[in-house]
Amino acid sequence: MVWDMSDTPAQPSEAPDFDAMTRDIAEVPAVEVIVTVAVNLMSAAAVKLGLSEEGEKYKDLDEARKLITGLAGLLDASATEISSFHAAPLRDGLKSLQLAFREASVVPDEPGQGPGEKYTGPVYG
């Protein structure tokens, strides 16, 4: 689920309707919020790894490391809160990003020292 803030458009001179936005968010189950945040972190990490259509233009491994570590922490912390139906594909995506990071690095981290590996354990390529 993706939130579309355009459902409650605000005119330039009109203040946003925070009550309506709060009601909209209140109706979303926590698992949906967690999954949405995780997917956003995955997408941002992929771009920073140079995996987008524009590749090298946005590649920044320092930023990718931070995003991947944040994603791993989120998934580790929420593992008992979200079902394996939601968690399994997110863990697969995380592992793919960790492997892509290792491949993109000029000097790869030691196993267990890569982004997010303190939460997931070593990732081998």
Side-chain angles (χ1 to χ4, degrees):
M1 172 171 214
V2 176
W3 292 289
D4 183 5
M5 294 297 188
S6 65
D7 290 341
T8 55
Q11 300 301 321
S13 62
E14 189 179 313
D17 185 355
F18 291 113
D19 289 335
M21 284 192 266
T22 300
R23 278 191 304 277
D24 290 345
I25 292 171
E27 295 172 6
V28 179
V31 70
E32 295 294 330
V33 174
I34 293 167
V35 169
T36 300
V37 170
V39 169
N40 285 326
L41 288 168
M42 292 174 87
S43 298
V47 169
K48 296 296 185 177
L49 285 169
L51 302 176
S52 67
E53 288 181 16
E54 300 193 28
E56 296 295 315
K57 181 177 179 182
Y58 300 110
K59 188 173 183 178
D60 184 336
L61 294 183
D62 184 51
E63 289 290 301
R65 177 184 294 278
K66 293 170 187 170
L67 292 162
I68 294 168
T69 300
L71 173 63
L74 173 65
L75 294 181
D76 183 56
S78 63
T80 59
E81 304 300 326
I82 61 177
S83 67
S84 61
F85 173 78
H86 293 290
L90 295 173
R91 282 192 301 264
D92 290 344
L94 170 60
K95 184 175 181 179
S96 295
L97 290 169
Q98 289 171 313
L99 290 170
F101 184 91
R102 185 172 297 284
E103 290 174 12
S105 297
V106 176
V107 180
D109 297 313
E110 292 293 320
Q113 301 302 309
E117 291 182 17
K118 71 180 180 180
Y119 300 108
T120 64
V123 175
Y124 299 97

